[in-house]
Amino acid sequence: MQALPALPQKFSASDTVTLGKTGIQTSRLAMGTGTVGSGGHSHQTALGVKGLSDLLLNGYDHGLRFFDSADSYGSHPHVAEALKHVPRDKVTVLTKTWARDPVSARADLERFRRELGVDHIDVCLMHCLTEGDWTERYKGVMDVLSDAKDKAIIRAHGCSCHSIEALRVAAKSPWVEVDLARINPIGSHMDADPATVVSVLREMKTAGKGVIGMKILGQGDLRGRQDEALKYALSLGVLDAFTIGAESKAEQEDLIRRIGAAA
């Protein structure tokens, strides 16, 4: 990876950012709860309800206001426990549904709110889309999420993409208000090479969508090059925020420090 030029400004993990045109304000760094997350488990949920809740609250004490969860990570109970100790209106709660039909989507929204202990979810995403025709194939789910927004059950809807075809469709879809996209400088666990992905994210940003980066450290592949990876993410000018899953308070505080030192 080539050395990046100096960043045009100083950044902080706790900077207040706005997700596209949603009006949702939160912190630049989201606390991920799904490192190697699937089947109801992740490295973070392995910490236990109290362990992960304490980690989220430690982040909150350092100015982080963005809780990134998902049904497939099994992290709703952990987030719910943390939410008991902070003002609900001070944090952004994002979660993701694997629902591919309207009945499942409605059931998920009810269950998610119950598991999280909240009356509304800030951002609900369709999780892990890969199909190039997903806006047609899963229109029923999109309609359920649109209806939920109208009823203030959620504040914004969108998707996380796991193919370049799905990402390109998301960029062009007026329905997508927030997109969670895989981006890092070496193309690790990404949908295409970095330059291609960045061009699509730029299209999203121009359209006013909230763009959140994930896989910033390449699911651990850039663990020894964190400063380069963080500086890369901050230099792009297309990410409103990004999510990283720390596994300890020391790792979390180190990330916060590195982001502050990235300029």
Side-chain angles (χ1 to χ4, degrees):
M1 179 179 155
Q2 293 180 331
L4 293 166
L7 295 173
Q9 67 188 83
K10 189 167 175 58
F11 293 93
S12 168
S14 61
D15 286 338
T16 299
V17 301
T18 303
L19 301 180
K21 293 179 179 176
T22 65
I24 296 172
Q25 293 191 313
T26 191
S27 59
R28 186 178 302 283
L29 179 62
M31 292 179 277
T33 62
T35 303
V36 194
S38 66
H41 304 281
S42 73
H43 289 185
Q44 283 72 33
T45 59
L47 300 171
V49 170
K50 185 175 189 315
L52 179 48
S53 171
D54 285 351
L55 184 60
L56 294 170
L57 292 173
N58 186 67
Y60 183 89
D61 289 342
H62 286 80
L64 305 186
R65 298 290 183 265
F66 200 166
F67 294 179
D68 170 23
S69 65
D71 187 34
S72 64
Y73 309 159
S75 58
H76 289 165
H78 311 68
V79 171
E81 179 58 32
L83 288 172
K84 293 176 184 176
H85 305 282
V86 296
R88 174 65 185 92
D89 63 348
K90 298 293 185 189
V91 293
T92 300
V93 177
L94 180 152
T95 192
K96 314 172 193 86
T97 173
W98 269 96
R100 297 298 191 254
D101 65 83
V103 173
S104 300
R106 284 191 201 94
D108 276 0
L109 287 174
E110 287 303 309
R111 177 169 60 84
F112 290 5
R113 288 191 295 161
R114 189 168 63 248
E115 290 174 351
L116 290 163
V118 299
D119 61 358
H120 75 275
I121 295 163
D122 296 294
V123 182
C124 187
L125 304 180
M126 295 176 66
H127 202 169
C128 199
L129 293 170
T130 58
E131 300 89 348
D133 65 346
W134 69 263
T135 51
E136 297 154 33
R137 190 180 298 206
Y138 305 131
K139 187 176 184 305
V141 177
M142 295 163 66
D143 289 344
V144 168
L145 293 177
S146 294
D147 183 58
K149 184 186 173 186
D150 290 342
K151 294 175 178 174
I153 292 170
I154 65 175
R155 294 176 65 195
H157 44 63
C159 59
S160 72
C161 297
H162 282 240
S163 79
I164 192 63
E165 293 80 14
L167 191 70
R168 290 190 194 282
V169 170
K172 296 191 181 334
S173 170
W175 179 85
V176 175
E177 298 172 313
V178 177
D179 185 87
L180 185 61
R182 305 190 287 184
I183 183 70
N184 58 68
I186 63 171
S188 174
H189 298 275
M190 279 177 52
D191 303 324
D193 64 275
T196 298
V197 171
V198 169
S199 71
V200 180
L201 299 187
R202 191 161 287 121
E203 182 184 348
M204 286 183 167
K205 179 82 167 172
T206 302
K209 302 182 190 305
V211 184
I212 305 167
M214 62 173 165
K215 299 289 191 258
I216 301 299
L217 301 179
Q219 199 168 301
D221 290 346
L222 284 157
R223 193 175 286 272
R225 298 164 61 185
Q226 290 166 291
D227 293 332
E228 292 173 79
L230 292 168
K231 191 172 181 181
Y232 175 78
L234 293 166
S235 74
L236 294 173
V238 296
L239 303 179
D240 296 317
F242 50 82
T243 182
I244 300 177
E247 296 176 33
S248 68
K249 292 179 182 179
E251 189 177 346
Q252 182 185 68
E253 291 170 18
D254 182 59
L255 273 171
I256 292 169
R257 181 191 64 75
R258 288 176 187 273
I259 291 168

